Amino acid sequence: MEPANQFQYGYIENLRLTKLKAGIITIEGMISGVVGFLMGELLLAQPPLQFFINSPGGEVTESMAVHDLIRSVSTPQSPVVITALGMAASAACMIVLQAGDKRLAYPNTTFMLHELSSYAGKSETTTEKADSTKEMKRVQHQTLSILSGRSGKSVETIAKLLRRKDLWLSASEAKEWGLIDGIVGQES
């Protein structure tokens, strides 16, 4: 490794370890293949934990695993804070953000909710399609239940709002909607 690259790698690794000692974990980009990495980060992080998320979403099953991991480290003595910045869309908003005991966002964060969608280009038989549809409906209900439990809106209301469309929200609208508890710099 070139000396300049060694310095850059060492600097980045020191910064990461400093953040973990302060209990800060970041989730950026697509939520795909992050569970193993997140488990390692959780082993090194010092409570109280604060997650920062900037993500367009990702795989639902991966997002459910991240949700479960975050919930597993939350305690009454050390609640988990998740702060969205930039974008929290799809599974990042509907599943991961909802794992926090306290959910915050920066004022210019964009949120997006939508119905569960299938994987594009997947070739299935009629029977496989029926099985996939049944599973998608189960996961959709599970996702809407998480959102319902945190927002105070019924599963039916949320499902109706999201049917066949994306719902884009500002940070203020996300707070009114019950997706977040507060906006950074505007807490009372």
Side-chain angles (χ1 to χ4, degrees):
M1 193 181 294
E2 299 276 331
N5 289 343
Q6 286 177 339
F7 173 78
Q8 185 178 16
Y9 174 79
Y11 175 78
I12 291 169
E13 187 60 14
N14 283 337
L15 180 60
R16 183 179 79 81
L17 292 174
T18 301
K19 286 187 338 187
L20 290 174
K21 285 180 185 172
I24 297 170
I25 297 174
T26 57
I27 300 173
E28 299 178 90
M30 291 295 290
I31 299 173
S32 176
V34 299
V35 171
F37 175 77
L38 186 57
M39 288 173 65
E41 298 285 278
L42 288 172
L43 288 173
L44 296 172
Q46 302 292 316
L49 298 180
Q50 179 160 2
F51 288 79
F52 287 89
I53 187 163
N54 179 15
S55 172
E59 298 174 13
V60 173
T61 53
E62 185 89 6
S63 298
M64 291 287 192
V66 171
H67 180 276
D68 290 346
L69 279 172
I70 293 171
R71 293 304 315 140
S72 74
V73 297
S74 173
T75 66
Q77 300 79 22
S78 185
V80 172
V81 176
I82 299 181
T83 304
L85 67 157
M87 174 182 276
S90 189
C93 176
M94 297 174 73
I95 302 169
V96 177
L97 181 61
Q98 302 312 311
D101 296 302
K102 186 171 185 182
R103 303 157 301 155
L104 301 173
Y106 280 88
N108 294 307
T109 304
T110 298
F111 297 84
M112 189 271 287
L113 308 169
H114 64 117
E115 275 187 307
L116 181 65
S117 57
S118 65
Y119 300 107
K122 189 173 181 183
S123 178
E124 298 177 311
T125 66
T126 305
T127 305
E128 290 170 331
K129 187 67 140 179
D131 290 345
S132 292
T133 301
K134 182 180 177 184
E135 176 61 6
M136 283 182 68
K137 286 180 180 180
R138 183 192 71 77
V139 174
Q140 174 80 359
H141 184 76
Q142 185 178 9
T143 302
L144 294 178
S145 294
I146 289 171
L147 208 47
S148 173
R150 294 308 304 267
S151 71
K153 293 182 179 354
S154 72
V155 168
E156 295 77 20
T157 299
I158 297 169
K160 188 176 179 181
L161 284 169
L162 303 182
R163 185 158 176 82
R164 296 189 181 132
K165 66 179 178 187
D166 293 343
L167 178 62
W168 293 91
L169 303 168
S170 67
S172 296
E173 292 167 327
K175 185 176 179 194
E176 288 172 24
W177 220 82
L179 293 177
I180 59 174
D181 303 309
I183 299 173
V184 175
Q186 297 177 15
E187 295 108 64
S188 45

